[in-house]
Amino acid sequence: MAENHNHDHTHDHAHHHHSHMPQQSKIQQALGKYNCEIDDAEVAAAVKKIIAEKVHENDTLDVKKFLFGSIELTTLKTTDSEESVLAFTERVNKFENSYPDLPHVATICVYPCFASVVSESLEVDGVEVACVSGSFPSSQALIEVKIAETALAVKDGATEIDIVMPVGKFLSGDYEGVADDIGELKNVCGDNVAMKVILETGCLSTASNIKKASLLAMYSGADYIKTSTGKEKISATPEAAYVMCQAIKEYYDETGIQIGFKPAGGINTPMDAVIYYTIVKEVLGEKWLTNKWFRMGTSRLANLLLSEIMGEETMFF
């Protein structure tokens, strides 16, 4: 997906292990091209306006069918087993036959230890195998461990990798460390495996931080930016989505590189999904309204969307 990912950086450590200064100034330089002093109240007002004025026109059957095709069907439970993940995958296989007129989900998202189960049993063309990696959800591990976990997931068939930005490093101002971590893991993924960077927006607390984290992730090698793990108290919010989409748009205008967007965590109703769709449409436009560039991470939404599409309660997944 990221053939021509000419990001504004290099991860050739031979050049900068003597001094961390050049990389630091490069990152500060990159961030300096954008306005990160954004006001939380203004963001809230902009989102309120979009929801009041634009959401109703997207509350349609066609949009819901489209949204179904953007779902990353996720199971990240302590109780997951090879058997349960196999059954999960088989439901996606059966869906093709049961609902030939509907799009398939975009991905199945699991822990790396189940990458091989999913990749070996998935029969539907075009469904990606996504794995959370890098000591999800805390991201608190030595980089060597994160690299190993990511490499093993890819070897076992992951076609997409979701990592968590090292939030502690970000909050303590170590942007260099954040960029290095993300860049190292993008190197492991290579050009053929899309990498999503989870910002954990609920822990960033301000629109300004969310904007900076978005830009930092994109400049460091993210192919997608994602709101949340779903494991913290605050998950995705429309306000965080709005700021992230603004950052994606400005980054695209600056670099010509298109980055995908994935809200995740707390997407509980079809209306929540329609709100995220509307924010993407209003801020980023049609170019992002595809099942490739717009994704939603959720476990409960699939049945709810399916029920609305079918006009009756449907518990397929």
Side-chain angles (χ1 to χ4, degrees), residues 16 18 28 49 61 71 80 94 114 119 138 171 178 197 208 219-220 227 239 248 258 268 274 294:
H16 77 264
H18 298 302
Q28 297 294 20
K49 186 172 156 67
L61 196 58
I71 287 177
D80 288 343
K94 289 200 188 83
F114 300 116
S119 67
S138 71
L171 292 173
V178 173
V197 177
S208 177
Y219 270 102
S220 305
T227 57
E239 290 75 19
I248 289 170
Q258 186 172 8
N268 296 323
V274 171
F294 174 60

Side-chain angles (χ1 to χ4, degrees), residues 73 133 238 260:
L73 198 62
S133 182

Side-chain angles (χ1 to χ4, degrees), residues 207-228:
S208 177
N209 273 347
I210 293 169
K211 179 93 175 262
K212 277 183 204 148
S214 298
L215 292 163
L216 197 49
M218 293 187 285
Y219 270 102
S220 305
D223 298 297
Y224 288 76
I225 51 176
K226 172 175 166 182
T227 57
S228 320

Side-chain angles (χ1 to χ4, degrees), residues 199-259:
L199 308 182
E200 203 63 285
T201 50
C203 296
L204 299 181
S205 63
T206 66
S208 177
N209 273 347
I210 293 169
K211 179 93 175 262
K212 277 183 204 148
S214 298
L215 292 163
L216 197 49
M218 293 187 285
Y219 270 102
S220 305
D223 298 297
Y224 288 76
I225 51 176
K226 172 175 166 182
T227 57
S228 320
T229 61
K231 306 290 189 190
E232 290 286 333
K233 282 189 275 300
I234 302 172
S235 282
T237 65
E239 290 75 19
Y242 179 84
V243 175
M244 288 168 70
C245 289
Q246 285 283 347
I248 289 170
K249 182 184 188 335
E250 290 174 24
Y251 182 80
Y252 178 74
D253 291 344
E254 177 71 36
T255 66
I257 299 168
Q258 186 172 8
I259 301 291

Side-chain angles (χ1 to χ4, degrees), residues 42-204:
E42 280 172 25
V43 169
V47 169
K48 204 173 167 180
K49 186 172 156 67
I50 288 173
I51 290 174
E53 294 175 8
K54 303 289 187 181
V55 165
H56 60 93
E57 70 198 40
N58 298 317
D59 188 9
T60 67
L61 196 58
D62 279 348
V63 167
K64 284 170 189 168
K65 285 182 184 172
F66 165 80
L67 287 168
F68 191 87
S70 283
I71 287 177
E72 301 213 7
L73 198 62
T74 302
T75 182
L76 298 170
K77 298 200 290 279
T78 304
T79 52
D80 288 343
S81 64
E82 296 214 343
E83 292 73 19
S84 71
V85 171
L86 181 61
F88 195 69
T89 309
E90 288 297 351
R91 288 198 285 278
V92 173
N93 292 339
K94 289 200 188 83
F95 185 84
E96 269 291 72
N97 296 326
S98 306
Y99 297 95
D101 301 336
L102 292 181
H104 57 65
V105 295
T107 80
I108 295 178
C109 182
V110 294
Y111 280 112
C113 49
F114 300 116
S116 56
V117 175
V118 176
S119 67
E120 286 162 20
S121 58
L122 183 60
E123 292 159 11
V124 186
D125 284 342
V127 176
E128 304 288 344
V129 181
C131 283
V132 296
S133 182
S135 280
F136 176 96
S138 71
S139 195
Q140 299 289 15
L142 296 165
I143 188 66
E144 293 83 353
V145 175
K146 295 181 181 185
I147 286 169
E149 185 179 24
T150 304
L152 289 165
V154 171
K155 176 181 80 67
D156 281 348
T159 59
E160 300 186 348
I161 291 288
D162 292 25
I163 64 162
V164 182
M165 176 185 81
V167 178
K169 283 182 185 173
F170 176 85
L171 292 173
S172 57
D174 180 12
Y175 295 167
E176 151 95 1
V178 173
D180 277 351
D181 257 37
I182 294 171
E184 292 265 17
L185 294 175
K186 181 55 194 169
N187 281 349
V188 177
C189 291
D191 289 340
N192 297 326
V193 174
M195 188 177 81
K196 302 177 208 119
V197 177
I198 303 165
L199 308 182
E200 203 63 285
T201 50
C203 296
L204 299 181

